[in-house]
Amino acid sequence: MSDNSLSKEIEIKAYVRDFDYVLNYLYNNAKFKKKYFKKDIYYARENEIKSNDIRFENCIRLRVQNGGYTFCSKKRSIIDGVEVNDEREVKVSKKKARFIINFLSSLQGYKELVRKEKRGYSFSYKGTIIDLSHVKGLDDFIEIEFLDSKLSQESQIKELKTLLSELSISEADIEAEAYMTLLMKNNK
């Protein structure tokens, strides 16, 4: 395994009602980083899937992006509509990703829960990373995040909400549910 990192992430996610307006605003006011396509596969323990009692902290995400494979687990909490995560990521080769999936499946009882495909644009803006995305099967979203910021948690939450307002996105459009949960509800 090539990379194992633990990070503190504070992120706000909201529905975007006018994708073109927000994209143009960001192109004119933020630093464009890249276009992206992310494919995520979420795994959960089979007994939790069968009992419909899935515990987020037990789930594992495999992200496939630009030929790379990254496993992620999160300890997630929500404060005033904002995600506060302790996140652990491990980047691996394709061969090791297959090995880990087989290990999780055969020895740990994990099964695929749901898939997510996200296509969009990434920007840096006022010390944050902003992703403007279309999530297949859901809607258009914006995610604004601080990663390992030196600001207090309260200051970060306040700043994230201020940035939403600058982008003409209402606090009523904040979505506190994880994509995984939204997709599971959508697939029922």
Side-chain angles (χ1 to χ4, degrees):
M1 292 180 214
S2 60
D3 183 46
N4 185 353
S5 60
L6 180 64
S7 59
K8 181 74 140 192
E9 170 190 88
I10 297 185
E11 172 182 299
I12 197 164
K13 174 175 70 213
Y15 289 95
V16 174
R17 305 298 173 195
D18 190 342
F19 193 91
D20 291 336
Y21 170 81
V22 175
L23 182 60
N24 286 331
Y25 182 93
L26 290 170
Y27 268 126
N28 290 322
N29 296 285
K31 182 180 178 196
F32 175 73
K33 292 173 59 178
K34 63 184 175 186
K35 284 176 118 176
Y36 59 81
F37 175 73
K38 300 174 184 179
K39 179 179 175 181
D40 294 340
I41 306 167
Y42 293 89
Y43 295 90
R45 292 186 171 145
E46 186 174 21
N47 61 334
E48 292 180 16
I49 294 171
K50 285 181 179 176
S51 66
N52 201 25
D53 184 27
I54 296 161
R55 285 183 250 139
F56 191 86
E57 66 272 9
N58 291 338
C59 293
I60 296 170
R61 179 191 76 200
L62 170 61
R63 171 162 289 161
V64 181
Q65 180 180 12
N66 299 328
Y69 297 80
T70 305
F71 285 93
C72 177
S73 66
K74 291 183 181 185
K75 182 178 177 192
R76 181 179 193 265
S77 57
I78 301 292
I79 299 172
D80 199 18
V82 176
E83 282 186 45
V84 178
N85 299 315
D86 288 320
E87 186 175 88
R88 182 170 301 278
E89 290 189 337
V90 179
K91 294 181 181 181
V92 299
S93 67
K94 184 176 187 176
K95 184 177 179 181
K96 286 183 181 176
R98 281 194 204 118
F99 172 81
I100 292 169
I101 291 166
N102 288 335
F103 172 81
L104 289 170
S105 177
S106 61
L107 297 176
Q108 299 294 315
Y110 276 80
K111 299 293 178 210
E112 184 177 317
L113 178 64
V114 71
R115 289 179 180 237
K116 173 181 77 187
E117 291 183 5
K118 188 163 67 165
R119 189 176 304 273
Y121 306 83
S122 188
F123 298 85
S124 58
Y125 185 63
K126 296 186 177 183
T128 67
I129 298 167
I130 298 179
D131 284 350
L132 182 62
S133 311
H134 175 73
V135 180
K136 185 177 179 181
L138 291 179
D139 217 330
D140 295 327
F141 290 91
I142 191 164
E143 298 168 47
I144 308 172
E145 78 175 61
F146 283 102
L147 190 60
D148 293 324
S149 174
K150 302 296 182 223
L151 296 173
S152 71
Q153 187 171 293
E154 296 76 22
S155 295
Q156 290 178 67
I157 291 170
K158 183 179 177 187
E159 181 64 18
L160 290 173
K161 290 185 175 189
T162 299
L163 291 175
L164 266 188
S165 179
E166 281 181 31
L167 295 164
S168 300
I169 297 172
S170 167
E171 281 194 35
D173 286 325
I174 293 173
E175 178 54 74
E177 291 275 8
Y179 285 123
M180 180 184 76
T181 305
L182 295 171
L183 287 163
M184 287 181 347
K185 288 177 183 176
N186 208 34
N187 289 338
K188 285 187 176 182

